[in-house]
Amino acid sequence: MSTPLPPLLPDERLAAGAARLASRYAGSFAPETALGLLADSYARLAEHARIRTHLVVLAERLTAERLDALAHTQGLTGDRTRVLFVCSQNAGRSQMAAALLAHRAGERVTVSSAGTHPADEVEPHIAQALTEAGADLTDAYPKPLTEEVVQAADIVITMGCGDACPVVPGRRYLDWPVADPDGAPIAVVREIRDAIDAHVTELLTQLAS
């Protein structure tokens, strides 16, 4: 029986990233697994991107997140609580929630965010409001929702994505009803940030108990 050919990379620059990922996850996953997820991650990001300058870098980062999640579901990593925030575009509410929880929880929680229909970039007012609160969005980018990250989550928090949000048995689901900051002035974005931060504080209290 012939050996299946590895997936073709849509951009030759991805080869270096595939080599890095294969080395990083050696002993946990075969190089073909990393390669396949990398090609898929690039395709998913490219589907919604208007500017493709950083797609190669972002595809490698998304693939690393997916491999980390996959390792968790296979019992290859620690047992920290994993929280996934999901909204429609992953450019506003879910990004704010993820950044605030990561800022306040530190190493206690593994935080991810994703969108059912991701935008091409995080909204500038979102980054400004979070910077004011001491949270960091330097490396944030809208990400598509992937099976690996959903399966690895202990808690899935939805924020306005409706029926498009995933439902996986055995997960704890919460819905945070906060306004959509899309196109809102900075004063309104700050109010939404503070509302999300109140939910984050409540969640951390629940996790601590």
Side-chain angles (χ1 to χ4, degrees), residues 16-67:
R20 283 190 293 269
L21 290 166
S23 175
R24 177 175 172 180
Y25 293 94
S28 297
F29 301 110
E32 292 77 13
T33 300
L35 185 65
L37 284 178
L38 181 61
D40 181 69
S41 294
Y42 183 93
R44 291 183 185 225
L45 291 170
E47 182 180 355
H48 302 283
R50 289 184 299 176
I51 301 174
R52 302 191 171 214
T53 307
H54 305 295
L55 273 184
V56 171
V57 173
L58 296 181
E60 183 177 345
R61 286 171 51 191
L62 177 59
T63 303
E65 183 174 345
R66 295 172 71 180
L67 288 169

Side-chain angles (χ1 to χ4, degrees), residues 160-182:
C161 53
D163 293 339
C165 287
V167 177
V168 177
R171 305 301 180 273
R172 178 186 177 192
Y173 282 85
L174 300 171
D175 183 70
W176 290 359
V178 295
D180 187 351
D182 184 21

Side-chain angles (χ1 to χ4, degrees), residues 136-190:
D136 185 18
L137 263 189
T138 302
D139 296 325
Y141 63 101
K143 298 176 290 296
L145 190 62
T146 63
E147 180 181 356
E148 298 84 9
V149 175
V150 176
Q151 291 288 345
D154 299 298
I155 303 173
V156 179
I157 299 176
T158 59
M159 309 177 77
C161 53
D163 293 339
C165 287
V167 177
V168 177
R171 305 301 180 273
R172 178 186 177 192
Y173 282 85
L174 300 171
D175 183 70
W176 290 359
V178 295
D180 187 351
D182 184 21
I186 185 62
V188 174
V189 174
R190 291 186 182 115

Side-chain angles (χ1 to χ4, degrees), residues 79-208:
D79 57 356
R80 284 191 298 177
T81 300
R82 300 180 70 97
V83 180
L84 170 64
F85 293 98
V86 184
C87 69
S88 178
Q89 295 188 322
N90 193 217
R93 286 170 288 188
S94 59
Q95 289 284 2
M96 283 199 287
L100 288 167
L101 179 57
H103 175 61
R104 303 205 182 285
E107 297 298 319
R108 292 177 289 164
V109 179
T110 297
V111 185
S112 299
S113 70
T116 54
H117 300 88
D120 61 320
E121 63 181 359
V122 176
E123 298 171 21
H125 281 173
I126 302 301
Q128 179 182 342
L130 284 170
T131 299
E132 293 171 357
D136 185 18
L137 263 189
T138 302
D139 296 325
Y141 63 101
K143 298 176 290 296
L145 190 62
T146 63
E147 180 181 356
E148 298 84 9
V149 175
V150 176
Q151 291 288 345
D154 299 298
I155 303 173
V156 179
I157 299 176
T158 59
M159 309 177 77
C161 53
D163 293 339
C165 287
V167 177
V168 177
R171 305 301 180 273
R172 178 186 177 192
Y173 282 85
L174 300 171
D175 183 70
W176 290 359
V178 295
D180 187 351
D182 184 21
I186 185 62
V188 174
V189 174
R190 291 186 182 115
E191 293 175 358
I192 296 171
R193 175 203 63 198
D194 293 344
I196 292 173
D197 202 24
H199 284 294
V200 167
T201 299
E202 181 181 2
L203 177 64
L204 285 173
T205 300
Q206 294 173 0
L207 292 177

